Amino acid sequence: MNYPQLAAKAAAETAHLSALDAVKIDVSSADHELGRNTRWVWVGGFGDLKVGMASGQSVTLVNVPDGTMLPLAINKVYRIGTDANEVIALF
């Protein structure tokens, strides 16, 4: 299953978990610490996305297509390892 299919399936199954707030991610000069865990992450522009998960582990999502909504509980986006753009954290 590819990212758009996975994201669409997850969105359908978790529609009741609506976001209440949003923050645009800026990793132009440093890692972006969110201070809380997300419900969703929007990737507007294609690329890799390295994140810190709520569990404490880090993971790099490779070649995330533009226009992808990911149901992830993250609290950090890393500058090194992220080249996706227009990333929005949804809480």
Side-chain angles (χ1 to χ4, degrees):
M1 189 176 289
N2 63 34
Y3 280 124
Q5 291 170 328
L6 181 61
K9 182 177 188 283
E13 292 174 354
T14 58
H16 62 284
L17 299 175
S18 299
L20 304 173
D21 196 9
V23 172
K24 183 171 172 53
I25 301 299
D26 178 10
V27 292
S28 60
S29 61
D31 297 342
H32 192 131
E33 298 274 354
L34 297 168
R36 55 188 167 153
N37 294 325
T38 61
R39 293 181 181 202
W40 299 90
V41 178
W42 169 259
V43 179
F46 173 86
D48 296 347
L49 183 66
K50 183 176 181 181
V51 298
M53 301 295 295
S55 68
Q57 295 199 19
S58 63
V59 64
T60 301
L61 303 165
V62 179
N63 296 329
V64 180
D66 54 343
T68 299
M69 182 76 78
L70 300 167
L72 297 174
I74 68 166
N75 51 37
K76 183 176 188 175
V77 179
Y78 292 89
R79 181 179 66 84
I80 297 174
T82 296
D83 61 6
N85 55 58
E86 299 302 320
V87 178
I88 308 288
L90 299 160
F91 304 92

